[in-house]
Amino acid sequence: MKDDSLIFSALIGAVASARSMTPMATIAAARLLDRRTPGQLVLLDRPLFRNGALAMGVGELFGDKMKTAPDRTVFLGLLARVMSAGIAGAALAPRGRERAGALTAVATAVPLAYLTLAGRKRAMARMGQTRSGLIEDALVVAAGAAIVALAVRPSNGLQSR
């Protein structure tokens, strides 16, 4: 894979389409493990924001199962996806291509939010809100963790910043 690829930014955008806080939470977890992102990391190196991202990621997993949880395509849901995907997409982009990474992640997250919502509604009709949400959580969190783990891995024995 080319060093200037934006594939990790696009993939983390797909994660944001289903769970808005998971991209930032997975990057925050990677930072706690002292892993570095290829692109410049905005905010999540500060303990308040890092811990906040982790708390919001966990909170979203619980809140999604509530009967009153709004659809992910309402204005605030899309705004959260834009912000989280943008921050994570920039962090996972190659150094110097952070802006392109942010745009790629956002351009992936927003349209896919409508597709992931449609899929979730079909799953809810078949198995209920909680069960479908738990399955979606497992898939999305695993995908987010895998994407971030692949993106932040050290190259040539050195960690990239």
Side-chain angles (χ1 to χ4, degrees):
M1 185 178 308
K2 289 178 66 176
D3 288 337
D4 65 346
S5 174
L6 296 174
I7 189 69
F8 294 121
S9 297
L11 291 172
I12 206 69
V15 167
S17 75
R19 291 291 177 274
S20 61
M21 296 295 114
T22 298
M24 288 195 314
T26 54
I27 290 175
R31 291 302 294 138
L32 285 174
L33 297 172
D34 204 28
R35 302 295 291 218
R36 302 239 177 250
T37 57
Q40 187 174 7
L41 188 58
V42 178
L43 297 178
L44 293 178
D45 269 341
R46 293 180 172 78
L48 176 68
F49 290 102
R50 184 175 51 237
N51 294 333
L54 289 168
M56 289 189 304
V58 170
E60 180 182 36
L61 298 178
F62 287 105
D64 178 63
K65 312 310 170 291
M66 297 172 51
K67 299 287 184 203
T68 58
D71 286 348
R72 61 192 71 179
T73 56
V74 300
F75 174 76
L76 289 178
L78 288 175
L79 180 61
R81 279 162 178 71
V82 166
M83 292 170 50
S84 179
I87 291 168
L92 298 183
R95 179 68 73 170
R97 300 210 53 215
E98 291 90 349
R99 185 171 292 182
L103 292 172
T104 298
V106 169
T108 303
V110 172
L112 278 183
Y114 291 91
L115 291 174
T116 58
L117 176 61
R120 175 70 187 278
K121 284 183 175 183
R122 282 193 301 275
M124 283 172 50
R126 292 185 70 203
M127 63 183 81
Q129 182 173 3
T130 301
R131 191 165 164 208
S132 65
L134 290 172
I135 292 168
E136 188 179 39
D137 287 347
L139 294 171
V140 172
V141 170
I147 291 161
V148 170
L150 289 170
V152 300
R153 70 175 179 226
S155 61
N156 299 328
L158 300 173
Q159 290 185 333
S160 58
R161 183 158 181 98

